[in-house]
Amino acid sequence: MTSTLRLEKITPENVDAALALRVHPHQEKNVAPVSTSLAEAYAFGDTAWPGLIFDGDRLVGFVMAFLDIAWAPEKDPEDRRSGLWRLNIAADHQGRGYGRFAVDAVREELRRRGSRELHVTWEPGEHGPGAFYLGLGFRPTGETSGGQTVGVLAI
């Protein structure tokens, strides 16, 4: 991957470009749009870590992590997890390593914060991102969340 890849905060200058970012139409059922993610980031405050992925001057994606959230407080209030909450790579920029870059950026941020695992959920199915996450080394935990597969990666 080239050194021109970077994460940037969402700002008044780039928010419109972020809101215009679109995945492939067949992937839309698998991932919420950036507008939903930004609303969730606002609502969840410091437990959300959103960013934009740029390659040079081109916006190529959006990533958002969740930080130290009680996973299933009704089962175990001490089960706190961090991980990848959302990953949207623009339809015309997929297959170029931007998703891997985003997952690595989340991994590094979680490592910096002292986490030992990175969690993710994904929609199962033909156009779901399961093969992508498995290829990065995530392993299914055997859990589901809202019908999605839960995976974990050691940091």
Side-chain angles (χ1 to χ4, degrees):
M1 198 64 357
T2 65
S3 62
T4 63
L5 287 181
R6 68 187 185 288
L7 282 184
E8 287 191 12
K9 289 185 175 186
I10 291 114
T11 66
E13 292 77 28
N14 63 28
V15 71
D16 287 336
L19 293 172
L21 191 135
R22 298 288 181 267
V23 297
H24 282 291
H26 67 268
Q27 296 170 327
E28 289 175 352
K29 68 178 180 64
N30 297 326
V31 65
V34 173
S35 59
T36 299
S37 297
L38 292 180
E40 290 169 337
Y42 176 81
F44 283 87
D46 290 339
T47 60
W49 187 75
L52 298 177
I53 306 159
F54 281 86
D55 187 352
D57 293 333
R58 289 177 303 157
L59 173 63
V60 298
F62 171 85
V63 65
M64 186 164 73
F66 60 92
L67 307 169
D68 198 32
I69 291 179
W71 188 254
E74 69 282 357
K75 293 181 184 175
D76 180 0
E78 299 302 313
D79 185 7
R80 303 192 70 77
R81 299 181 187 185
S82 297
L84 181 63
W85 189 350
R86 202 66 44 71
L87 179 58
N88 304 59
I89 302 299
D92 55 344
H93 293 297
Q94 293 184 10
R96 299 181 187 164
Y98 300 131
R100 177 181 292 275
F101 170 81
V103 171
D104 287 344
V106 170
R107 181 188 232 174
E108 286 307 310
E109 181 64 17
L110 295 185
R111 179 180 289 135
R112 187 184 73 73
R113 292 171 180 259
S115 295
R116 295 184 309 205
E117 294 180 321
L118 189 164
H119 288 84
V120 69
T121 62
W122 66 82
E123 286 287 340
E126 179 184 357
H127 294 294
F132 168 74
Y133 291 122
L134 294 172
L136 293 178
F138 283 89
R139 61 175 175 72
T141 65
E143 300 167 289
T144 60
S145 176
Q148 296 184 338
T149 302
V150 178
V152 66
L153 179 68
I155 292 183

